[in-house]
Amino acid sequence: MNTKNELRMLGGSVSGPAFLANDLMTECRSYRDAVCLAWRQRRSKGMTQRGLSELCEWYPQHVSDYLSPDDVNPKGQRRRCLPAERIATFEAVVGNRAVTQFLIRQASLHLMEEMISQQAQAVA
């Protein structure tokens, strides 16, 4: 899958993943929260978890673990987290950069792209 600008699911080219507003990002207390927020804010609201797994060519069971708000399943087993190498693909499909934004904030780094995006939102 091309993770830059072309999304198979939409049948063509669209703008790449967008940054989310600061007020949404303040909800994130953990990496899992950021993944779940990205999923809730997906561009294609009709996309199901199964659809996500098919588009990304991931196991459906893994996707349900990634998108669960709970770290532990009912049997007491730890759930899988979205692996780092899958973030770009996930963000391309859901259409936002919530996971990357969270990681940037956790590392106390600022990307020029995020600043430009925030300025554009303030003007709009």
Side-chain angles (χ1 to χ4, degrees), residues 43-114:
R43 277 192 185 135
S44 178
K45 298 296 185 190
M47 183 183 358
T48 63
Q49 289 184 17
R50 180 169 276 306
L52 174 65
S53 68
E54 290 171 1
L55 285 168
C56 296
E57 299 175 351
W58 299 340
Y59 293 112
Q61 300 87 339
H62 293 191
V63 170
S64 66
D65 272 355
Y66 303 158
L67 300 179
S68 175
D70 303 315
D71 287 331
V72 179
N73 70 18
K75 295 179 181 178
Q77 299 166 324
R78 211 155 159 68
R79 294 188 190 275
R80 295 172 190 90
C81 290
L82 179 68
E85 66 270 11
R86 293 187 170 180
I87 293 172
T89 300
F90 175 73
E91 289 181 338
V93 173
V94 299
N96 68 69
R97 295 198 181 278
V99 177
T100 297
Q101 281 177 266
F102 175 79
L103 293 172
I104 290 167
R105 290 162 193 252
Q106 285 297 103
S108 298
L109 300 175
H110 300 281
L111 288 178
M112 182 63 75
E113 188 178 355
E114 182 176 13

